[in-house]
Amino acid sequence: MNPWLTEIVQTGEHASLIPMRPAHRDALVAAAMADELWQFWYTEIPTEDTIDRYMQKAFEDQSAGKALPYVVVGHASDSIVGTTRFLEADSVNRRLEIGKTWYAKRVQRTAVNTECKLMLLTHAFEQLEAIAVEFRTHWHNHASRNALERLGAKQDGVLRNHQRIDGCYRDTVVFSIINQEWPTVRRTLLYKLGRT
């Protein structure tokens, strides 16, 4: 375990981030399957067939001190509506990534994602004192790329032929927010949530 990444529950007005547990398995599958999210070929969303491997990898990375996976509980439905995590944690250089994020369609483009990003980034910059938080997405995931730009993240570049997935090469677009930009990003997120 990486002492830099300590499990905590984060609670907002619209959603809570709860450390992932094996008991969350069926609720995660239900959230993904309800909208057939697994059909989005350019992102990794678990199915009944892949959920065990998906969660095992999350727990292995957490045990290795590289990740901290969360389930997202939407307060309107009091149910799991998605997942996100800190990953690629580098406590020496005080950098990490926020990724493996997906939401049920009913909460996409709602305050849930905005609030979760606010909670994760606040924790990263204000508690962990990170100097940079990175986001990575598939070149073809235009919705994610647009959302990251709206968030205030800046594109660092494109990693061409970065990964081979299902027989195809993935170009990965890398975005980041650095600590000097955090006050402006924080203000933007609070404004979007109507908390100025």
Side-chain angles (χ1 to χ4, degrees), residues 70-86:
Y70 289 98
V71 294
V72 179
V73 175
H75 292 174
S77 62
D78 194 30
S79 64
I80 290 176
V81 295
T83 183
T84 190
R85 71 184 78 158
F86 288 128

Side-chain angles (χ1 to χ4, degrees), residues 91-163:
S91 58
V92 174
N93 293 300
R94 308 200 82 73
R95 300 178 62 91
L96 48 73
E97 180 183 340
I98 294 173
K100 304 289 187 185
T101 304
W102 59 265
Y103 297 99
K105 281 187 181 176
R106 68 184 180 275
V107 298
Q108 291 176 10
R109 296 187 64 84
T110 70
V112 169
N113 182 42
T114 304
E115 187 171 64
C116 287
K117 288 295 189 292
L118 176 63
M119 289 189 288
L120 289 166
L121 288 165
T122 298
H123 187 71
F125 286 115
E126 298 180 15
Q127 278 73 54
L128 301 180
E129 298 181 344
I131 63 166
V133 175
E134 192 174 286
F135 304 85
R136 295 181 176 214
T137 191
H138 196 293
W139 174 263
H140 289 284
N141 193 342
H142 296 287
S144 177
R145 290 169 60 187
N146 291 336
L148 289 168
E149 288 177 358
R150 284 193 307 273
L151 178 67
K154 298 206 170 58
Q155 184 175 315
D156 294 324
V158 181
L159 303 175
R160 304 289 306 278
N161 281 0
H162 179 231
Q163 295 173 313

